[in-house]
Coordinates of all heavy atoms in Angstrom, one line a residue:
M1 N 5.3 -18.2 20.1 CA 5.9 -19.0 19.0 C 7.3 -18.7 18.9 O 7.8 -17.5 19.0 CB 5.1 -18.6 17.7 CG 5.7 -19.4 16.5 SD 4.6 -19.3 15.1 CE 5.7 -19.9 13.9
E2 N 8.2 -19.7 18.7 CA 9.6 -19.5 18.7 C 10.1 -18.6 17.6 O 11.1 -17.9 17.8 CB 10.2 -21.0 18.5 CG 11.0 -21.4 19.7 CD 11.5 -22.8 19.4 OE1 12.4 -23.0 18.6 OE2 10.9 -23.8 20.0
N3 N 9.5 -18.6 16.5 CA 10.1 -17.9 15.3 C 9.5 -16.5 15.2 O 9.7 -15.9 14.2 CB 9.8 -18.6 14.0 CG 10.6 -19.9 14.0 OD1 11.7 -20.0 14.5 ND2 10.0 -20.9 13.3
E4 N 8.9 -15.9 16.2 CA 8.3 -14.6 16.2 C 9.4 -13.6 16.0 O 10.5 -13.7 16.7 CB 7.5 -14.3 17.5 CG 7.0 -12.9 17.5 CD 6.2 -12.7 18.8 OE1 5.4 -13.5 19.2 OE2 6.3 -11.5 19.3
R5 N 9.2 -12.6 15.2 CA 10.2 -11.5 15.1 C 9.6 -10.2 14.8 O 8.4 -10.2 14.4 CB 11.2 -11.9 14.0 CG 10.6 -12.1 12.6 CD 11.6 -12.6 11.6 NE 12.4 -11.5 11.0 CZ 13.0 -11.6 9.9 NH1 13.1 -12.7 9.2 NH2 13.7 -10.5 9.4
R6 N 10.3 -9.1 14.8 CA 9.8 -7.8 14.5 C 9.6 -7.6 13.0 O 10.3 -8.2 12.2 CB 10.7 -6.7 15.1 CG 11.0 -6.8 16.5 CD 9.7 -6.7 17.4 NE 9.4 -5.3 17.6 CZ 8.4 -4.8 18.3 NH1 7.5 -5.7 18.8 NH2 8.2 -3.5 18.5
V7 N 8.6 -6.8 12.7 CA 8.3 -6.5 11.3 C 9.6 -5.8 10.7 O 10.1 -4.8 11.4 CB 7.1 -5.6 11.1 CG1 6.9 -5.1 9.7 CG2 5.9 -6.4 11.6
P8 N 10.1 -6.2 9.6 CA 11.3 -5.6 9.1 C 11.2 -4.3 8.3 O 12.1 -3.7 7.8 CB 11.9 -6.7 8.1 CG 10.7 -7.4 7.7 CD 9.7 -7.4 8.8
Y9 N 9.9 -3.8 8.1 CA 9.7 -2.6 7.3 C 9.1 -1.4 8.3 O 8.3 -1.7 9.1 CB 8.6 -2.9 6.2 CG 9.0 -4.1 5.4 CD1 8.2 -5.2 5.5 CD2 10.1 -4.1 4.7 CE1 8.5 -6.4 4.8 CE2 10.5 -5.3 3.9 CZ 9.6 -6.4 4.0 OH 10.0 -7.5 3.3
A10 N 9.5 -0.2 7.9 CA 8.9 0.9 8.6 C 7.5 1.1 8.2 O 6.7 1.6 9.0 CB 9.7 2.2 8.3
C11 N 7.1 0.6 7.0 CA 5.8 0.8 6.5 C 5.6 -0.4 5.5 O 6.4 -0.6 4.6 CB 5.5 2.1 5.8 SG 3.9 2.3 5.1
H12 N 4.4 -1.0 5.6 CA 4.0 -2.0 4.6 C 2.7 -1.6 4.0 O 1.7 -1.4 4.7 CB 3.9 -3.4 5.3 CG 3.9 -4.5 4.4 ND1 4.3 -5.8 4.8 CD2 3.7 -4.6 3.0 CE1 4.3 -6.6 3.7 NE2 3.9 -5.9 2.7
A13 N 2.8 -1.3 2.7 CA 1.6 -0.8 2.0 C 1.0 -2.0 1.3 O 1.6 -2.7 0.5 CB 2.0 0.3 1.0
F14 N -0.3 -2.1 1.5 CA -1.1 -3.2 0.8 C -2.0 -2.6 -0.2 O -2.9 -1.7 0.2 CB -1.9 -4.1 1.8 CG -0.9 -4.9 2.6 CD1 -0.5 -4.5 3.9 CD2 -0.5 -6.1 2.2 CE1 0.3 -5.2 4.7 CE2 0.4 -6.9 3.0 CZ 0.7 -6.5 4.2
V15 N -1.9 -2.9 -1.4 CA -2.8 -2.4 -2.5 C -3.7 -3.6 -2.9 O -3.3 -4.6 -3.4 CB -2.0 -1.9 -3.7 CG1 -3.0 -1.4 -4.8 CG2 -1.0 -0.9 -3.3
C16 N -5.0 -3.4 -2.7 CA -6.0 -4.4 -3.1 C -6.0 -4.5 -4.5 O -6.3 -3.6 -5.2 CB -7.4 -4.2 -2.5 SG -8.6 -5.4 -3.0
T17 N -5.7 -5.7 -5.1 CA -5.8 -5.9 -6.5 C -6.8 -7.0 -6.8 O -6.8 -7.6 -7.9 CB -4.4 -6.3 -7.1 OG1 -3.9 -7.4 -6.4 CG2 -3.4 -5.2 -7.0
N18 N -7.7 -7.2 -5.9 CA -8.7 -8.3 -6.1 C -9.6 -7.9 -7.3 O -10.0 -6.8 -7.6 CB -9.7 -8.3 -4.9 CG -10.6 -9.5 -4.9 OD1 -10.2 -10.6 -5.4 ND2 -11.8 -9.3 -4.4
D19 N -9.8 -9.0 -8.1 CA -10.5 -8.8 -9.4 C -11.6 -9.8 -9.5 O -11.5 -11.0 -9.6 CB -9.5 -9.1 -10.6 CG -10.1 -8.7 -11.9 OD1 -11.4 -8.5 -12.0 OD2 -9.3 -8.8 -12.9
R20 N -12.9 -9.3 -9.5 CA -14.0 -10.2 -9.6 C -14.6 -10.2 -11.1 O -15.7 -10.7 -11.3 CB -15.1 -9.6 -8.7 CG -14.8 -9.7 -7.2 CD -16.0 -9.5 -6.3 NE -15.7 -9.7 -5.0 CZ -15.4 -8.8 -4.1 NH1 -15.5 -7.5 -4.4 NH2 -15.2 -9.0 -2.8
G21 N -13.7 -9.8 -12.0 CA -14.1 -9.9 -13.4 C -15.4 -9.2 -13.8 O -16.1 -9.6 -14.7
G22 N -15.8 -8.2 -13.1 CA -17.0 -7.4 -13.4 C -18.2 -8.0 -12.8 O -19.3 -7.4 -12.9
R23 N -18.2 -9.1 -12.2 CA -19.4 -9.8 -11.6 C -19.9 -8.9 -10.4 O -21.1 -8.8 -10.2 CB -19.1 -11.2 -11.1 CG -18.8 -12.1 -12.3 CD -18.6 -13.5 -11.8 NE -17.5 -13.6 -10.9 CZ -16.2 -13.7 -11.1 NH1 -15.8 -13.6 -12.4 NH2 -15.3 -13.8 -10.2
R24 N -18.9 -8.3 -9.7 CA -19.2 -7.4 -8.6 C -18.1 -6.4 -8.5 O -17.0 -6.7 -9.0 CB -19.3 -8.1 -7.2 CG -20.6 -8.7 -6.9 CD -20.6 -9.4 -5.6 NE -20.0 -8.7 -4.4 CZ -19.4 -9.2 -3.4 NH1 -19.3 -10.5 -3.3 NH2 -18.9 -8.5 -2.5
K25 N -18.3 -5.2 -7.9 CA -17.3 -4.2 -7.9 C -16.1 -4.8 -7.1 O -16.2 -5.5 -6.1 CB -17.8 -3.0 -7.2 CG -16.8 -1.8 -7.1 CD -17.4 -0.6 -6.5 CE -16.4 0.5 -6.1 NZ -15.4 0.9 -7.1
S26 N -14.9 -4.5 -7.7 CA -13.7 -4.9 -7.0 C -12.6 -3.9 -7.3 O -12.7 -3.1 -8.3 CB -13.2 -6.3 -7.4 OG -13.1 -6.4 -8.8
C27 N -11.5 -3.8 -6.6 CA -10.6 -2.8 -6.7 C -9.8 -2.8 -8.1 O -9.4 -1.8 -8.6 CB -9.5 -2.9 -5.6 SG -10.2 -2.4 -4.0
A28 N -9.8 -4.0 -8.7 CA -9.2 -4.1 -10.0 C -9.9 -3.3 -11.0 O -9.4 -2.9 -12.0 CB -9.1 -5.6 -10.5
D29 N -11.2 -3.0 -10.8 CA -12.0 -2.2 -11.7 C -11.4 -0.8 -11.8 O -11.6 -0.1 -12.8 CB -13.5 -2.0 -11.2 CG -14.2 -3.4 -11.1 OD1 -13.7 -4.4 -11.7 OD2 -15.2 -3.4 -10.5
G30 N -10.7 -0.4 -10.8 CA -10.1 0.9 -10.7 C -8.6 1.0 -11.0 O -7.9 1.9 -10.5
M31 N -8.1 0.0 -11.8 CA -6.7 0.0 -12.2 C -5.8 -0.1 -11.0 O -4.7 0.5 -10.9 CB -6.3 1.2 -13.0 CG -7.2 1.3 -14.3 SD -6.8 2.8 -15.3 CE -5.1 2.6 -15.6
S32 N -6.2 -1.0 -10.0 CA -5.3 -1.1 -8.8 C -4.0 -1.7 -9.1 O -3.0 -1.5 -8.4 CB -6.1 -1.7 -7.7 OG -6.5 -3.0 -8.1
A33 N -3.9 -2.6 -10.1 CA -2.6 -3.2 -10.4 C -1.6 -2.2 -10.9 O -0.5 -2.2 -10.5 CB -2.8 -4.3 -11.4
A34 N -2.2 -1.3 -11.7 CA -1.3 -0.2 -12.2 C -1.0 0.8 -11.0 O 0.2 1.3 -11.0 CB -2.1 0.6 -13.3
L35 N -1.9 1.0 -10.1 CA -1.6 1.8 -8.9 C -0.4 1.1 -8.1 O 0.5 1.8 -7.7 CB -2.8 1.9 -8.0 CG -2.6 2.4 -6.6 CD1 -2.0 3.8 -6.6 CD2 -4.0 2.5 -5.9
R36 N -0.5 -0.1 -8.0 CA 0.6 -0.8 -7.2 C 1.9 -0.6 -7.9 O 2.9 -0.3 -7.2 CB 0.3 -2.3 -7.0 CG 1.4 -3.1 -6.4 CD 1.0 -4.5 -6.2 NE 2.2 -5.3 -5.8 CZ 2.9 -6.1 -6.6 NH1 2.5 -6.2 -7.8 NH2 4.0 -6.7 -6.2
E37 N 2.0 -0.8 -9.2 CA 3.2 -0.6 -9.9 C 3.7 0.8 -9.8 O 4.9 1.1 -9.6 CB 3.0 -1.0 -11.4 CG 2.9 -2.5 -11.6 CD 4.0 -3.3 -11.0 OE1 5.1 -3.0 -11.1 OE2 3.7 -4.4 -10.3
A38 N 2.8 1.8 -9.9 CA 3.2 3.2 -9.8 C 3.7 3.5 -8.4 O 4.7 4.3 -8.2 CB 2.0 4.1 -10.1
L39 N 3.1 2.9 -7.4 CA 3.5 3.2 -6.0 C 4.9 2.5 -5.8 O 5.8 3.1 -5.1 CB 2.5 2.6 -5.0 CG 2.8 2.9 -3.5 CD1 3.0 4.4 -3.3 CD2 1.6 2.4 -2.7
K40 N 5.1 1.4 -6.3 CA 6.4 0.7 -6.2 C 7.5 1.6 -6.8 O 8.6 1.7 -6.3 CB 6.4 -0.7 -6.8 CG 5.6 -1.7 -6.0 CD 5.7 -3.1 -6.7 CE 7.0 -3.7 -6.7 NZ 7.0 -5.1 -7.0
A41 N 7.2 2.1 -8.0 CA 8.2 3.0 -8.7 C 8.4 4.2 -7.9 O 9.6 4.7 -7.8 CB 7.6 3.3 -10.1
E42 N 7.4 4.8 -7.3 CA 7.6 6.0 -6.4 C 8.5 5.7 -5.2 O 9.4 6.5 -4.8 CB 6.3 6.5 -5.9 CG 5.6 7.4 -7.0 CD 6.2 8.7 -7.4 OE1 7.0 9.2 -6.4 OE2 6.1 9.2 -8.5
I43 N 8.2 4.6 -4.6 CA 9.0 4.1 -3.4 C 10.5 3.9 -3.8 O 11.4 4.4 -3.2 CB 8.5 2.8 -2.8 CG1 7.1 3.1 -2.2 CG2 9.4 2.2 -1.8 CD1 7.0 4.2 -1.2
E44 N 10.7 3.3 -5.0 CA 12.1 3.1 -5.5 C 12.7 4.5 -5.8 O 13.9 4.7 -5.4 CB 12.0 2.3 -6.8 CG 13.3 2.0 -7.4 CD 14.1 0.9 -6.8 OE1 13.5 0.0 -6.2 OE2 15.3 1.0 -6.8
K45 N 12.0 5.4 -6.4 CA 12.5 6.7 -6.8 C 12.9 7.5 -5.6 O 13.9 8.3 -5.6 CB 11.4 7.4 -7.6 CG 11.9 8.8 -8.2 CD 10.8 9.3 -9.1 CE 10.0 10.3 -8.4 NZ 8.9 10.9 -9.2
R46 N 12.2 7.3 -4.5 CA 12.5 8.1 -3.3 C 13.5 7.4 -2.4 O 13.8 7.9 -1.3 CB 11.2 8.3 -2.5 CG 10.3 9.2 -3.2 CD 8.8 9.1 -2.7 NE 7.9 9.8 -3.5 CZ 7.4 11.1 -3.3 NH1 7.8 11.7 -2.2 NH2 6.6 11.6 -4.1
G47 N 14.1 6.3 -2.8 CA 15.1 5.6 -2.0 C 14.6 4.9 -0.8 O 15.3 4.7 0.1
L48 N 13.3 4.5 -0.8 CA 12.7 3.9 0.3 C 12.6 2.4 0.3 O 12.2 1.8 1.2 CB 11.3 4.5 0.5 CG 11.2 6.0 0.8 CD1 9.7 6.4 0.7 CD2 11.8 6.3 2.1
R49 N 13.2 1.9 -0.8 CA 13.2 0.4 -0.9 C 14.0 -0.2 0.2 O 15.0 0.2 0.5 CB 13.8 0.0 -2.3 CG 13.7 -1.4 -2.6 CD 14.1 -1.7 -4.0 NE 14.1 -3.1 -4.3 CZ 14.7 -3.7 -5.2 NH1 15.6 -3.1 -5.9 NH2 14.6 -5.0 -5.4
G50 N 13.4 -1.2 0.8 CA 14.0 -1.8 2.0 C 13.3 -1.5 3.2 O 13.2 -2.3 4.1
S51 N 12.9 -0.2 3.3 CA 12.2 0.2 4.5 C 10.7 0.3 4.3 O 9.9 0.3 5.2 CB 12.7 1.5 5.1 OG 12.7 2.5 4.1
V52 N 10.3 0.4 3.0 CA 8.9 0.4 2.7 C 8.6 -0.7 1.7 O 9.4 -0.9 0.7 CB 8.5 1.7 2.1 CG1 7.0 1.7 1.6 CG2 8.7 2.9 3.0
R53 N 7.7 -1.5 2.0 CA 7.3 -2.7 1.1 C 5.9 -2.4 0.6 O 5.0 -2.0 1.3 CB 7.3 -4.0 2.0 CG 6.9 -5.2 1.2 CD 8.1 -5.7 0.4 NE 7.7 -6.9 -0.3 CZ 8.5 -7.6 -1.2 NH1 9.8 -7.1 -1.3 NH2 8.2 -8.6 -1.9
V54 N 5.8 -2.6 -0.7 CA 4.5 -2.5 -1.4 C 4.0 -3.9 -1.9 O 4.8 -4.5 -2.7 CB 4.5 -1.5 -2.6 CG1 3.2 -1.4 -3.3 CG2 5.0 -0.1 -2.1
S55 N 2.9 -4.3 -1.4 CA 2.4 -5.7 -1.8 C 1.0 -5.6 -2.3 O 0.3 -4.6 -1.9 CB 2.4 -6.6 -0.5 OG 3.7 -6.7 0.0
H56 N 0.6 -6.5 -3.1 CA -0.8 -6.5 -3.5 C -1.5 -7.4 -2.4 O -0.9 -8.2 -1.7 CB -1.0 -7.1 -4.9 CG -0.5 -8.5 -5.1 ND1 -1.3 -9.6 -4.8 CD2 0.6 -8.9 -5.6 CE1 -0.6 -10.7 -5.1 NE2 0.6 -10.3 -5.6
S57 N -2.8 -7.1 -2.3 CA -3.6 -7.9 -1.3 C -4.8 -8.3 -2.0 O -5.3 -7.8 -3.0 CB -3.9 -7.1 -0.1 OG -5.0 -6.2 -0.3
G58 N -5.5 -9.3 -1.4 CA -6.8 -9.7 -1.7 C -7.8 -8.7 -1.1 O -7.4 -7.6 -0.6
C59 N -9.0 -9.0 -1.2 CA -10.1 -8.1 -0.7 C -9.8 -7.6 0.7 O -9.6 -8.4 1.6 CB -11.4 -8.8 -0.8 SG -12.8 -7.7 -0.3
L60 N -9.9 -6.3 0.9 CA -9.8 -5.7 2.2 C -11.1 -5.4 2.9 O -11.2 -4.9 4.0 CB -8.9 -4.4 2.1 CG -7.5 -4.5 1.6 CD1 -6.9 -3.2 1.2 CD2 -6.7 -5.3 2.7
G61 N -12.2 -5.8 2.2 CA -13.5 -5.7 2.8 C -14.3 -4.5 2.6 O -15.5 -4.4 2.9
L62 N -13.7 -3.4 2.0 CA -14.5 -2.2 1.8 C -14.5 -1.9 0.2 O -14.1 -0.9 -0.2 CB -13.9 -1.0 2.5 CG -13.9 -1.1 4.0 CD1 -13.2 0.1 4.7 CD2 -15.4 -1.2 4.5
C63 N -15.0 -2.9 -0.5 CA -14.9 -2.9 -1.9 C -15.6 -1.6 -2.5 O -15.1 -1.1 -3.6 CB -15.5 -4.1 -2.5 SG -15.1 -5.6 -1.6
A64 N -16.7 -1.2 -2.0 CA -17.4 0.0 -2.6 C -16.6 1.2 -2.5 O -16.8 2.2 -3.3 CB -18.7 0.2 -1.8
D65 N -15.6 1.3 -1.6 CA -14.7 2.4 -1.5 C -13.4 2.3 -2.3 O -12.6 3.2 -2.3 CB -14.2 2.6 0.0 CG -15.4 2.9 0.9 OD1 -16.5 3.3 0.4 OD2 -15.3 2.6 2.1
G66 N -13.2 1.2 -3.0 CA -11.9 1.0 -3.7 C -11.7 1.8 -4.9 O -12.6 2.5 -5.3
P67 N -10.5 1.7 -5.5 CA -9.4 0.9 -5.0 C -8.8 1.3 -3.7 O -8.7 2.5 -3.4 CB -8.3 1.0 -6.1 CG -9.1 1.4 -7.3 CD -10.3 2.2 -6.8
N68 N -8.5 0.4 -2.8 CA -8.1 0.6 -1.5 C -6.6 0.4 -1.3 O -6.1 -0.6 -1.8 CB -8.8 -0.2 -0.5 CG -10.3 0.2 -0.4 OD1 -10.6 1.3 0.0 ND2 -11.2 -0.7 -0.8
V69 N -6.0 1.2 -0.5 CA -4.6 1.1 -0.1 C -4.5 1.2 1.4 O -5.1 2.2 1.9 CB -3.6 2.1 -0.8 CG1 -2.2 1.9 -0.3 CG2 -3.7 2.1 -2.3
V70 N -3.8 0.4 2.1 CA -3.7 0.5 3.5 C -2.3 0.4 4.0 O -1.5 -0.4 3.4 CB -4.6 -0.6 4.3 CG1 -4.2 -2.0 4.0 CG2 -4.7 -0.2 5.8
L71 N -1.9 1.2 4.9 CA -0.5 1.2 5.4 C -0.5 0.7 6.9 O -1.3 1.1 7.7 CB 0.0 2.6 5.5 CG -0.2 3.5 4.2 CD1 0.4 4.9 4.4 CD2 0.5 2.8 3.0
Y72 N 0.5 -0.2 7.1 CA 0.7 -0.8 8.5 C 2.2 -0.6 8.8 O 3.0 -0.7 7.9 CB 0.3 -2.3 8.5 CG -1.1 -2.5 8.4 CD1 -1.7 -3.0 7.3 CD2 -1.9 -2.2 9.6 CE1 -3.1 -3.2 7.3 CE2 -3.3 -2.4 9.5 CZ -3.9 -2.9 8.3 OH -5.2 -3.1 8.3
P73 N 2.5 -0.3 10.0 CA 1.7 -0.3 11.2 C 0.9 1.0 11.5 O 0.2 1.1 12.4 CB 2.6 -0.6 12.3 CG 3.9 0.2 11.9 CD 3.9 -0.1 10.4
Q74 N 1.0 1.9 10.5 CA 0.4 3.3 10.7 C -1.1 3.3 10.8 O -1.7 4.1 11.4 CB 0.9 4.2 9.6 CG 2.3 4.6 9.7 CD 3.3 3.5 9.1 OE1 2.8 2.6 8.4 NE2 4.6 3.6 9.4
G75 N -1.7 2.3 10.2 CA -3.2 2.2 10.2 C -3.8 3.3 9.4 O -4.9 3.8 9.7
V76 N -3.2 3.7 8.3 CA -3.8 4.7 7.4 C -4.4 4.0 6.2 O -3.8 3.1 5.6 CB -2.6 5.7 7.0 CG1 -3.1 6.8 6.0 CG2 -2.1 6.4 8.3
W77 N -5.5 4.6 5.8 CA -6.2 3.9 4.7 C -6.5 5.0 3.6 O -6.9 6.1 3.9 CB -7.6 3.5 5.2 CG -8.4 2.5 4.3 CD1 -9.0 2.9 3.1 CD2 -8.7 1.2 4.5 NE1 -9.6 1.8 2.6 CE2 -9.4 0.7 3.5 CE3 -8.3 0.3 5.6 CZ2 -9.9 -0.6 3.3 CZ3 -8.8 -1.1 5.5 CH2 -9.6 -1.5 4.4
F78 N -6.3 4.6 2.3 CA -6.5 5.5 1.2 C -7.6 4.8 0.4 O -7.3 3.9 -0.4 CB -5.3 5.7 0.4 CG -4.2 6.4 1.1 CD1 -3.1 5.6 1.6 CD2 -4.1 7.8 1.2 CE1 -2.1 6.2 2.3 CE2 -3.1 8.4 1.9 CZ -2.1 7.6 2.4
P79 N -8.9 5.3 0.5 CA -9.9 4.8 -0.4 C -9.9 5.5 -1.8 O -9.3 6.5 -1.9 CB -11.2 5.1 0.3 CG -10.8 6.4 1.1 CD -9.4 6.3 1.4
A80 N -10.6 4.9 -2.8 CA -10.7 5.5 -4.1 C -9.4 6.0 -4.7 O -9.3 7.1 -5.3 CB -11.7 6.7 -4.0
A81 N -8.3 5.2 -4.5 CA -7.0 5.6 -4.9 C -6.9 5.2 -6.4 O -7.4 4.2 -6.9 CB -5.9 4.9 -4.1
A82 N -6.1 6.0 -7.1 CA -5.9 5.8 -8.6 C -4.4 5.8 -8.9 O -3.6 6.3 -8.0 CB -6.5 6.9 -9.4
P83 N -4.0 5.3 -10.0 CA -2.5 5.3 -10.3 C -1.9 6.7 -10.2 O -0.7 6.8 -9.7 CB -2.5 4.8 -11.8 CG -3.7 3.9 -11.9 CD -4.7 4.5 -11.0
G84 N -2.7 7.7 -10.5 CA -2.2 9.1 -10.4 C -2.0 9.6 -9.0 O -1.4 10.6 -8.8
D85 N -2.4 8.8 -8.0 CA -2.2 9.2 -6.6 C -1.0 8.6 -6.0 O -0.6 8.9 -4.9 CB -3.4 8.7 -5.7 CG -4.7 9.3 -6.2 OD1 -4.7 10.5 -6.5 OD2 -5.7 8.6 -6.1
A86 N -0.2 7.8 -6.8 CA 1.0 7.1 -6.3 C 2.0 8.1 -5.6 O 2.5 7.8 -4.6 CB 1.7 6.3 -7.4
A87 N 2.3 9.2 -6.3 CA 3.3 10.2 -5.8 C 2.8 10.7 -4.4 O 3.6 10.9 -3.5 CB 3.5 11.2 -6.8
A88 N 1.5 11.1 -4.4 CA 1.0 11.6 -3.1 C 1.0 10.6 -2.0 O 1.3 10.9 -0.8 CB -0.4 12.2 -3.3
I89 N 0.7 9.4 -2.3 CA 0.7 8.3 -1.3 C 2.1 8.1 -0.8 O 2.4 8.0 0.4 CB 0.0 7.0 -1.8 CG1 -1.5 7.2 -2.0 CG2 0.3 5.9 -0.8 CD1 -2.1 6.1 -2.8
A90 N 3.1 8.1 -1.7 CA 4.5 7.9 -1.4 C 5.0 9.0 -0.5 O 5.7 8.8 0.5 CB 5.3 7.7 -2.6
A91 N 4.6 10.2 -0.8 CA 4.9 11.4 0.0 C 4.4 11.3 1.4 O 5.0 11.6 2.4 CB 4.5 12.7 -0.7
R92 N 3.1 10.8 1.5 CA 2.5 10.6 2.8 C 3.3 9.5 3.6 O 3.5 9.6 4.8 CB 1.0 10.2 2.6 CG 0.3 10.1 3.9 CD 0.1 11.5 4.6 NE -0.6 11.3 5.8 CZ -0.2 11.6 7.0 NH1 1.1 12.2 7.2 NH2 -0.9 11.4 8.1
I93 N 3.7 8.5 2.9 CA 4.4 7.4 3.6 C 5.8 8.0 4.1 O 6.2 7.7 5.2 CB 4.7 6.2 2.6 CG1 3.4 5.5 2.3 CG2 5.8 5.3 3.2 CD1 3.5 4.4 1.2
E94 N 6.4 8.8 3.3 CA 7.7 9.4 3.7 C 7.5 10.2 5.0 O 8.3 10.1 5.9 CB 8.2 10.3 2.7 CG 9.0 9.6 1.6 CD 9.8 10.6 0.7 OE1 9.1 11.5 0.1 OE2 11.1 10.5 0.7
A95 N 6.4 11.0 5.0 CA 6.1 11.8 6.2 C 5.8 10.9 7.4 O 6.3 11.1 8.5 CB 5.0 12.7 6.0
L96 N 5.0 9.8 7.2 CA 4.7 8.9 8.3 C 5.9 8.2 8.9 O 5.8 7.9 10.1 CB 3.6 7.9 7.8 CG 2.2 8.5 7.6 CD1 1.4 7.5 6.8 CD2 1.5 8.8 8.9
I97 N 6.9 7.9 8.1 CA 8.0 7.2 8.6 C 9.2 8.1 9.0 O 10.3 7.7 9.3 CB 8.5 6.1 7.7 CG1 9.1 6.7 6.4 CG2 7.4 5.1 7.4 CD1 9.8 5.6 5.5
G98 N 8.9 9.5 8.9 CA 9.9 10.4 9.4 C 10.9 10.7 8.5 O 12.0 11.1 8.9
R99 N 10.7 10.6 7.2 CA 11.7 10.8 6.2 C 11.6 12.3 5.6 O 12.4 12.6 4.7 CB 11.6 9.8 5.0 CG 12.1 8.4 5.4 CD 13.7 8.4 5.4 NE 14.2 8.6 4.1 CZ 14.5 7.8 3.2 NH1 14.4 6.5 3.5 NH2 15.0 8.1 2.1
T100 N 10.7 13.1 6.1 CA 10.6 14.4 5.6 C 10.5 15.4 6.7 O 10.1 15.0 7.8 CB 9.3 14.6 4.7 OG1 8.2 14.2 5.4 CG2 9.4 13.8 3.4
P101 N 11.0 16.6 6.6 CA 11.0 17.5 7.7 C 9.7 17.8 8.4 O 9.7 18.1 9.6 CB 11.6 18.8 7.0 CG 12.2 18.4 5.8 CD 11.5 17.1 5.4
E102 N 8.6 17.7 7.6 CA 7.3 18.1 8.2 C 6.7 16.9 9.0 O 5.7 17.0 9.5 CB 6.3 18.6 7.1 CG 5.9 17.5 6.2 CD 6.8 17.4 4.9 OE1 7.9 17.9 5.0 OE2 6.4 16.9 3.9
A103 N 7.4 15.8 9.0 CA 6.8 14.6 9.7 C 6.7 14.8 11.2 O 7.4 15.5 11.8 CB 7.6 13.4 9.4
Ligands
FES201 S1 -12.1 -5.8 -3.8 FE1 -10.7 -4.4 -2.8 S2 -11.5 -4.1 -0.9 FE2 -12.8 -5.7 -1.7

C-alpha cells in the first residue's frame, strides 16, 4: 500500500475499556478507564509523551483476566491491572524502550 509508514511510537499501550454494563465480565468492571487516565498521567510525568501512546481499546479477548493492558510492539501483556498499577506499568514501559539504566 502506498501510504504505509513506520509506527511513530516506541511503545503503544492499549488499555481495554470495554464495558458490558454488568451483563458479562468486562474490563470496565475493574475501573479500566481510571487505569487508562492514571497511566496517561504517569507517561506525561515521566516525559514520555510523544514516544509512548496510551489508547483505550475494545475487547482484547481475555476478559476473564481483565482489566487488560497490552504493549506493542513489545508484545507485553498485563492482566488484572488496576489504577494503582499505573506507575509500575509506566516504569516497565520505560525499561522496555530503553529509558532506564536497567533496560
Ligand atoms: S472486555 Fe477487556 S478483554 Fe474483553
Side-chain angles (χ1 to χ4, degrees):
M1 182 170 165
E2 244 175 75
N3 293 328
E4 180 180 319
R5 57 187 278 198
R6 302 298 275 177
V7 174
Y9 311 114
C11 177
H12 199 156
F14 291 93
V15 181
C16 176
T17 55
N18 189 36
D19 187 353
R20 295 192 174 102
R23 293 181 305 279
R24 274 178 50 209
K25 181 174 170 52
S26 58
C27 289
D29 299 343
M31 300 176 60
S32 60
L35 166 61
R36 176 177 168 258
E37 290 305 315
L39 184 55
K40 285 180 70 165
E42 281 292 331
I43 293 303
E44 178 80 30
K45 186 171 98 180
R46 292 163 190 262
L48 297 173
R49 187 174 180 201
S51 57
V52 176
R53 180 80 182 178
V54 179
S55 298
H56 62 84
S57 82
C59 180
L60 296 167
L62 297 178
C63 318
D65 297 339
N68 291 297
V69 179
V70 63
L71 310 179
Y72 288 105
Q74 291 80 12
V76 174
W77 193 292
F78 300 96
D85 296 323
I89 293 171
R92 184 70 180 119
I93 290 170
E94 276 193 299
L96 286 166
I97 66 172
R99 288 282 300 263
T100 54
E102 69 271 17

